Amino acid sequence: MPSRLPTPVPDLAPGRGALRPARSWLHSDAPSLSLDGPWRFRLSPTASQAEDFAAEDFDDRGWDSIPVPSHWVLQGDGAYGRPVYTNIRYPFPLDPPHVPDENPTGDYRRHFGLPADWSDAECVVLRFDGVESFFRVWVNGVEIGSASGSRLAHEFDVTSVVRPGDNVVAVRVHQWSAGSYLEDQDQWWLPGIFRDVTVIARPAGGVEDVWLRTGFDDGRGRVDPEVTAEAAAFPVTLRIPELGVERVWATPADVAPLDVAGVEPWSAERPRLYDATVSTAAETVSLRVGFRTVEISGDRFLVNGRRVVFHGMNRHEAHPERGRVFDEEHARADLARMKRFNVNAIRTSHYPPHPRLLDLADELGFWVVLECDLETHGFEDAGWAGNPSDDPAWREALLDRIERTVERDKNHPSVVIWSLGNEAGTGSNLAAMSAWVHARDTGRPVHYEGDHTGEYTDVYSRMYASVPEIEQIGADGARSALAHCTPAQSARQRAKPFLLCEYAHAMGNGPGGLDEYEALVHAYPRVHGGFVWEWRDHGILAGAPDGTPYYAYGGDFGEVVHDGNFVMDGMLLSDDVPTPGLHEFKAVAQPIRFGFGDDGVTVTNLRHSADTSDLRFRWRVEHDGSPVDSGVLEVPVVGPGGSARVPLPPVRVSPDAETWLTVDAVLAAGTAWAPEGHVVATAQRDASAPRTVPAARPRTDWRPGGGTLTLGIAEFADGSLVRLAGRAVTGPRLELFRAPTDNDESASDRVEDSDAAVAGVSHADLWRRDGLDRLMTRRVRVEQAARSLRTIDKVAAAGSAPSVTVESVWSLGADGLELLVEVEPSRGWRTVWPRIGIRFGFPDGTAPVDGAEWFGLGPFESYPDSLRAARTGRFTADIGDLSAGYARPQETGHRSGLRRLTLLSGGTEVLHVEAVPDRSGRRPGFTLSRHTPRQTARAGHPFELPASTTSHLIIDAAQHGLGSRSCGPDVRPAFALRPEARTIRLRITADRRTG
């Protein structure tokens, strides 16, 4: 009878059995055999199953087939369980190191043929590049060993048990283990063998490991080699053909550093790589070498002697169908997209990625903060009691993780900082990890945000620090105590480079205020930028009850404990579509800046190491968004950090249209990540002739009115608009509510730099408390005058005393129909408003309003604290394309700075609206959608939005900012919308004569 042994998953040891020491992930010509492909698979609900499945003669014909690599919860449409999403909490009891008996366990089996000539191999290795979370391995019925560390490589020596011809490998994978306590990253829990499995023939006299440390100084490169090989493997030869390097080391003692002349340095902007090989008579290992020196000088982080500014993204491995399974084509496209959006850095949150990703980072050019597979965030809710970071019993496991991280990826020039992990509290084990890294690699600094006082790390790092706080960190002479620090500790941290390992939480519509963070980088040299949280949404492709596809988030798979849509916080939607926030990031981070003056434009190169020889500068002039002139701006080559002043072309200014000059920096030739002509940076200058806006003519001859009335294209019944240009219409209705963004819904206590928020209470709850989503209107009076109509309404919510008076005046004049709306709040409003606008409804009828053409800011949505990507021009979009496809429906689609708007139906012009600036010169914005804010707010997913028979146009005098409160600071005071009197003035026509 097969034995049933106690489950080994509480074992704190990082691995047992024939587990080999960590080493580099190398490109070798040694024979190898991929075991990727279909495996036999069986899932059990607990970990205490019989082990007879590992026997060679076990009959697995009744088992299912599953692909490797994959996650079993993403296979079989739920046949093997479902994904679980948590941010902080563990999805099992906090009882370290134990896990529940209800522990899904997957058994895998696969046959493979071993070539006969492998009998000459000195060692046969079975490598797993990623298994979540704990696994045991048998080959030909013999147990080989076990390991944990889901995102780390593990190699087992199977020499003694394999044979030429047929072999069988069996693997048991437990979803939960002691290692799960160390892997509480903000992501889906996705068990299985999800990275490659490979059998390798290690040749006698081969290269076991190699590390080519490099340096660069003033045109000279340096290689400091470390070769791990038996003495009998020598001589060993290093070749870098392009540099004429061929160095033969006869014995291990001969291996020594060498200087190389005529070297071009590696940087994220110019990722110059040289092909290199390290070979013995039995094996050749291929590498790509990049020469760069990483150092900290005082409070500056330098590469090749120049300060680095990180315009970075936190990047998880995530795909809506594959989960964390690596696909090189998709990864390359993903990194190329990053480059096109001016992203220059990646933090591998919160684990080492697939090793091929780092090859791509070397090639395409990124500064990489490589993070260890460590997070114990769930212990925070227990006051960090029992946290493995400070428990000696866990030290071996934590040291193993950092060793496997560093050893695997040490050859990559893109890796410039090692990170110990994320949100694991602090303690002696983290300090021991740091000490190990410092001893092993003197050429890269150590990062860990949780070391608030700087006891064992080299850079000062924070998450979601506010702008005022960073000013106190960056300013010379600042003496205020930093968070969690004494005055002495604060002084120590201020003496280091500062970076934001996470900031600007990109959840839903947002983040706002990116430009304010960018300004800090230029004002305070010790501030080195940071990493937006995060690169992409983690939505999992699912189907609604009616089959409609959508991207699922926490709770959509029936999880008992989950954190909802907090996993949807990326600059890229789950389907690879860039969000408006990513376009804003590109504009804020653009490495070329333009300063316009009367005598020309100053071109400033903010790059680290690249001059502008790869760029071409174009200019164009537009009148009211229509091109009238263009050309090439002759700009001399500007070195990194330099500037050049160049004359501007004569600009033909229109007397009766806005004149805008736009300058673009574009790629002069295609690259590996973008085609020729790709826009790297852009800027606009308003060159319009001064124009005055006629004031609205006051009227005093009002008399009571009612019944029906026609004013040009407008028809009214008892003061209410019923038709425009022959089309049914409702409104204008005061709109103060917006479908809350994820930032609006956050009940964060982070209100230290906001005077418009209530700690622990979301803005959305305050808006609902005040009834902004359920306003009711009382018509106070209707009045008429010659060719004019005036209504006065009082708008308030049930159960609420504060109100808003809305005066609307319609008048017919030589310029067509004009609407003037004056909005005046009463006393007693206690919080910010989401918007101040008026809403029109256009029922579909025979020709639905389905698009818009506008002259204003575009082409993407924009808000008060997210305007840098917006440019003034003429744009056209279908109604569906005006909204961003956020995973949870919310406020979207607002276009600021509106001048003129044309509503379209099937490409036909329906109605023209001219927006007149108010007395302060402020212009309104617009939103066109198939749903009202209330309908949108009630939906948890796009497929839950109701069927629509109406298009809704909202003209906003003002909108509240976006901020980053879902996991960061609230909207800054300058962009918070307080209840105030505002004016909206529109001219409406049914043809182009006034447009």
Side-chain angles (χ1 to χ4, degrees):
M1 182 175 180
S3 62
R4 293 182 180 270
L5 301 176
T7 173
V9 292
D11 192 349
L12 295 185
R16 297 192 182 276
L19 188 63
R20 304 179 82 237
R23 65 185 183 118
S24 300
W25 194 85
L26 296 170
H27 299 273
S28 166
D29 65 355
S32 65
L33 176 67
S34 172
L35 298 190
D36 293 354
W39 288 52
R40 291 292 188 176
F41 180 74
R42 175 185 68 184
L43 183 68
S44 304
T46 69
S48 57
Q49 303 300 309
E51 298 170 1
D52 56 347
F53 83 101
E56 289 186 76
D57 59 354
F58 181 85
D59 185 358
D60 59 17
R61 287 176 295 179
W63 286 20
D64 297 334
S65 177
I66 195 172
V68 169
S70 72
H71 305 280
W72 69 63
V73 293
L74 297 183
Q75 300 295 316
D77 194 24
Y80 312 117
R82 291 293 193 180
V84 175
Y85 166 62
T86 62
N87 172 29
I88 298 175
R89 297 172 293 177
Y90 292 101
F92 47 79
L94 189 61
D95 182 25
H98 306 288
V99 293
D101 294 336
E102 296 90 350
N103 187 356
T105 296
D107 290 332
Y108 295 78
R109 284 175 55 89
R110 156 114 192 208
H111 287 263
F112 66 93
L114 200 71
D117 59 1
W118 280 29
S119 58
D120 296 334
E122 182 179 62
C123 176
V124 178
V125 172
L126 177 61
R127 183 176 70 214
F128 295 84
D129 283 314
V131 183
E132 183 174 328
S133 75
F134 173 89
F135 66 106
R136 299 167 68 191
V137 182
W138 293 260
V139 175
N140 295 331
V142 178
E143 184 164 3
I144 301 302
S146 63
S148 64
S150 299
R151 269 68 72 174
L152 302 167
H154 297 89
E155 294 184 333
F156 296 90
D157 186 339
V158 297
T159 312
S160 63
V161 296
V162 294
R163 59 189 175 233
D166 185 62
N167 295 263
V168 61
V169 57
V171 183
R172 171 161 287 176
V173 180
H174 303 288
Q175 176 161 14
W176 310 123
S177 68
S180 301
Y181 285 100
L182 306 180
E183 297 173 6
D184 190 28
Q185 292 100 341
D186 176 9
Q187 60 178 343
W188 295 97
W189 299 86
L190 299 173
I193 304 174
F194 69 95
R195 287 184 184 158
D196 309 296
V197 181
T198 312
V199 182
I200 306 166
R202 297 289 313 126
V207 180
E208 177 64 18
D209 199 4
V210 63
W211 183 8
L212 299 183
R213 298 180 181 91
T214 64
F216 178 83
D217 184 17
D218 194 25
R220 295 188 63 83
R222 184 172 177 82
V223 179
D224 186 358
E226 178 185 287
V227 178
T228 303
E230 296 293 332
F234 284 76
V236 173
T237 302
L238 167 67
R239 293 183 178 90
I240 310 177
E242 193 174 354
L243 295 174
V245 173
E246 181 165 341
R247 184 66 57 91
V248 179
W249 298 304
T251 69
D254 294 333
V255 178
L258 62 148
D259 293 326
V260 187
V263 167
E264 296 178 41
W266 184 96
S267 74
E269 293 165 359
R270 290 187 168 172
R272 184 66 162 93
L273 294 170
Y274 295 91
D275 292 329
T277 60
V278 176
S279 58
T280 68
E283 181 181 16
T284 296
V285 171
S286 301
L287 306 92
R288 292 188 299 180
V289 175
F291 292 89
R292 88 285 180 275
T293 295
V294 179
E295 62 180 323
I296 290 177
S297 178
D299 60 0
R300 307 291 196 274
F301 177 84
L302 310 176
V303 175
N304 296 333
R306 291 188 59 85
R307 172 176 173 257
V308 171
V309 174
F310 296 101
H311 291 115
M313 293 285 164
N314 282 278
R315 181 190 181 276
H316 277 287
E317 292 181 309
H319 186 275
E321 297 176 86
R322 297 187 298 270
R324 283 188 285 280
V325 175
F326 182 76
D327 177 86
E328 184 164 333
E329 181 179 356
H330 185 258
R332 180 180 288 275
D334 216 29
L335 267 59
R337 186 181 295 110
M338 283 187 176
K339 296 285 286 189
R340 292 195 297 273
F341 281 89
N342 290 332
V343 176
N344 71 358
I346 297 169
R347 177 178 176 229
T348 68
S349 54
H350 300 291
Y351 48 84
H354 190 284
R356 276 293 291 157
L357 186 96
L358 298 172
D359 287 341
L360 299 179
D362 294 341
E363 173 190 327
L364 295 174
F366 290 92
W367 311 116
V368 174
V369 176
L370 190 70
E371 200 143 84
C372 183
D373 190 6
L374 173 64
E375 181 167 333
T376 66
H377 205 170
F379 285 87
E380 183 179 36
D381 288 344
W384 297 108
N387 183 18
S389 297
D390 201 34
D391 184 344
W394 292 84
R395 180 163 298 183
E396 182 187 0
L398 269 65
L399 283 171
D400 179 78
R401 286 174 181 253
I402 193 63
E403 290 173 18
R404 292 187 179 277
T405 296
V406 172
E407 296 294 354
R408 194 197 74 169
D409 299 328
K410 56 184 177 285
N411 279 295
H412 291 283
S414 58
V415 176
V416 293
I417 296 177
W418 299 114
S419 180
L420 303 179
N422 183 71
E423 293 175 324
T426 190
S428 60
N429 292 338
L430 284 159
M433 294 168 70
S434 179
W436 183 90
V437 177
H438 282 120
R440 181 70 176 117
D441 184 6
T442 60
R444 298 177 177 103
V446 172
H447 164 274
Y448 176 64
E449 184 270 344
D451 180 27
H452 298 304
T453 60
E455 299 290 335
Y456 47 84
T457 49
D458 304 308
V459 296
Y460 181 34
S461 177
R462 290 284 306 283
M463 294 182 179
Y464 306 106
S466 66
V467 169
E469 186 178 3
I470 297 172
E471 289 174 336
Q472 288 301 304
I473 293 169
D476 290 335
R479 294 291 183 267
S480 60
L482 302 178
H484 314 293
C485 290
T486 66
Q489 292 165 342
S490 299
R492 174 167 61 195
Q493 293 294 64
R494 282 194 175 95
K496 299 176 180 179
F498 174 78
L499 64 85
L500 285 159
C501 65
E502 294 179 22
Y503 81 110
H505 197 249
M507 187 175 179
N509 190 347
L514 287 173
D515 53 349
E516 293 195 85
Y517 282 96
E518 177 68 16
L520 297 170
V521 167
H522 304 289
Y524 305 107
R526 77 168 57 102
V527 177
H528 287 71
F531 298 82
V532 169
W533 186 267
E534 62 173 306
W535 172 237
R536 65 164 55 245
D537 282 358
H538 293 215
I540 292 178
L541 188 61
D546 65 356
T548 301
Y550 75 101
Y551 293 100
Y553 49 73
D556 287 340
F557 297 105
E559 304 102 302
V560 175
V561 175
H562 66 85
D563 286 292
N565 71 318
F566 206 70
V567 76
M568 308 296 252
D569 46 13
M571 287 285 199
L572 204 66
L573 300 178
S574 300
D575 57 0
D576 293 344
V577 173
T579 65
L582 183 55
H583 289 278
E584 180 75 0
F585 179 92
K586 176 186 178 182
V588 167
Q590 63 184 31
I592 306 298
R593 300 295 167 89
F594 302 97
F596 294 103
D598 294 337
D599 59 341
V601 59
T602 299
V603 179
T604 301
N605 178 9
L606 298 177
R607 291 163 151 184
H608 172 270
S609 47
D611 61 29
T612 60
S613 59
D614 61 328
L615 302 176
R616 185 171 64 247
F617 294 84
R618 305 183 310 204
W619 62 270
R620 67 182 181 276
V621 175
E622 295 168 318
H623 291 168
D624 278 359
S626 298
V628 296
D629 205 357
S630 63
V632 175
L633 195 65
E634 297 298 332
V635 179
V637 174
V638 181
S643 296
R645 187 77 171 171
V646 296
L648 286 169
V651 175
R652 180 155 50 95
V653 177
S654 170
D656 55 2
E658 291 189 38
T659 300
W660 286 86
L661 169 67
T662 303
V663 178
D664 297 326
V666 305
L667 290 179
T671 68
W673 48 268
E676 177 185 351
H678 166 75
V679 177
V680 173
T682 188
Q684 281 191 313
R685 178 191 183 190
D686 185 354
S688 304
R691 299 168 69 189
T692 59
V693 177
R697 290 178 298 174
R699 304 203 64 131
T700 59
D701 54 346
W702 296 109
R703 62 185 186 280
T708 61
L709 176 68
T710 299
L711 291 175
I713 62 172
E715 300 174 37
F716 301 86
D718 294 326
S720 296
L721 179 68
V722 293
R723 297 184 74 80
L724 263 175
R727 177 181 290 269
V729 64
T730 61
R733 179 183 179 88
L734 178 69
E735 188 64 86
L736 300 180
F737 186 66
R738 72 184 186 192
T741 67
D742 291 308
N743 291 318
D744 295 336
E745 289 282 13
S746 172
S748 168
D749 292 327
R750 291 286 309 276
V751 297
E752 68 275 8
D753 65 331
S754 172
D755 56 3
V758 177
V761 182
S762 73
H763 286 305
D765 282 342
L766 295 174
W767 298 339
R768 288 185 282 257
R769 178 201 69 186
D770 290 348
L772 299 188
D773 59 338
R774 49 186 171 82
L775 295 175
M776 306 172 74
T777 300
R778 178 173 66 85
R779 174 79 22 103
V780 176
R781 60 181 181 270
V782 180
E783 298 175 325
Q784 294 181 21
R787 297 161 64 89
S788 300
L789 172 71
R790 178 168 74 167
T791 60
I792 298 177
D793 298 325
K794 185 174 182 179
V795 182
S800 181
S803 63
V804 180
T805 299
V806 181
E807 178 181 334
S808 302
V809 177
W810 295 87
S811 57
L812 187 62
D815 292 330
L817 183 67
E818 183 168 301
L819 169 62
L820 179 66
V821 179
E822 301 279 0
V823 178
E824 184 176 348
S826 70
R827 296 177 180 271
W829 292 98
R830 294 174 289 171
T831 186
V832 296
W833 280 351
R835 69 177 354 132
I836 302 173
I838 53 175
R839 175 164 56 86
F840 298 87
F842 295 93
D844 286 349
T846 58
V849 171
D850 58 8
E853 177 185 297
W854 74 99
F855 174 43
L857 292 183
F860 312 105
E861 65 184 35
S862 55
Y863 292 83
D865 55 354
S866 183
L867 284 168
R868 292 285 290 274
R871 61 180 176 86
T872 302
R874 191 181 295 274
F875 310 98
T876 303
D878 294 335
I879 194 168
D881 295 332
L882 287 167
S883 299
Y886 301 117
R888 184 188 70 81
Q890 56 195 274
E891 163 65 29
T892 176
H894 181 261
R895 266 72 178 176
S896 308
L898 180 63
R899 277 79 164 168
R900 286 190 290 280
L901 170 68
T902 299
L903 299 182
L904 305 174
S905 178
T908 300
E909 298 176 355
V910 171
L911 205 65
H912 311 295
V913 179
E914 180 181 359
V916 182
D918 67 10
R919 286 181 290 270
S920 299
R922 297 172 296 194
R923 297 183 181 275
F926 83 95
T927 304
L928 182 64
S929 172
R930 293 293 289 174
H931 296 93
T932 67
R934 277 153 294 284
Q935 290 173 325
T936 302
R938 286 194 290 265
H941 303 83
F943 71 84
E944 294 170 329
L945 289 166
S948 173
T949 58
T950 303
S951 297
H952 302 275
L953 171 67
I954 302 177
I955 304 292
D956 283 317
Q959 274 256 5
H960 185 59
L962 298 175
S964 191
R965 194 182 178 189
S966 56
C967 189
D970 199 5
V971 175
R972 295 273 286 149
F975 307 110
L977 178 59
R978 291 161 182 78
E980 61 185 31
R982 295 298 290 258
T983 299
I984 297 173
R985 187 178 174 190
L986 308 174
R987 292 174 183 153
I988 305 172
T989 59
D991 56 48
R992 281 292 188 188
R993 287 176 296 175
T994 59

